[in-house]
Amino acid sequence: MSAAGLQIVPVILCCLWGAAASNTYGKSGNATQPMLPRFGSLKQQKTNVRVRSGTQYPIRWIYQRQGLSVEIIAEFGNWRRIRGSDNSDGWVHAAVPSAL
């Protein structure tokens, strides 16, 4: 293999590693956010679940159990769409669910 060929090999390996790493994480391409859907639990004793992502939207229901397991199915800014064990879903602030 020539000297020029040896210089290209590290570049190709870096590109392949980057492509593999981006496939490991979520659709957003942000390597700090895990893939969706993922599971978490509620940090607070009372958690407001809203119709849409924002405090201006009405509260759909209130979870009254800390540590309840939920599935995080979508993200929008500081909001997470969660699904409970009964398949009902709604939006909570990102600070509410913690990763399992």
Side-chain angles (χ1 to χ4, degrees), residues 19-41:
S22 67
N23 287 336
T24 304
Y25 294 97
K27 296 171 187 155
S28 65
N30 186 352
T32 62
Q33 292 294 322
M35 252 173 41
L36 293 174
R38 64 181 182 272
F39 290 92
S41 62

Side-chain angles (χ1 to χ4, degrees), residues 42 44 46-54 57-64 68 70 79-84 88-93 96:
L42 301 179
Q44 302 165 347
K46 289 188 177 184
T47 301
N48 294 335
V49 180
R50 297 188 178 269
V51 175
R52 304 265 318 205
S53 57
Y57 296 106
I59 296 171
R60 184 177 280 176
W61 67 85
I62 300 173
Y63 279 122
Q64 296 189 9
L68 185 69
V70 294
W79 292 87
R80 305 294 180 259
R81 189 172 185 178
I82 62 170
R83 181 182 308 149
S88 56
D89 65 285
W91 291 87
V92 297
H93 193 270
V96 173

Side-chain angles (χ1 to χ4, degrees), residues 66-80:
Q66 184 178 8
L68 185 69
S69 180
V70 294
E71 183 180 15
I72 302 168
I73 57 175
E75 298 178 337
F76 182 76
N78 288 332
W79 292 87
R80 305 294 180 259

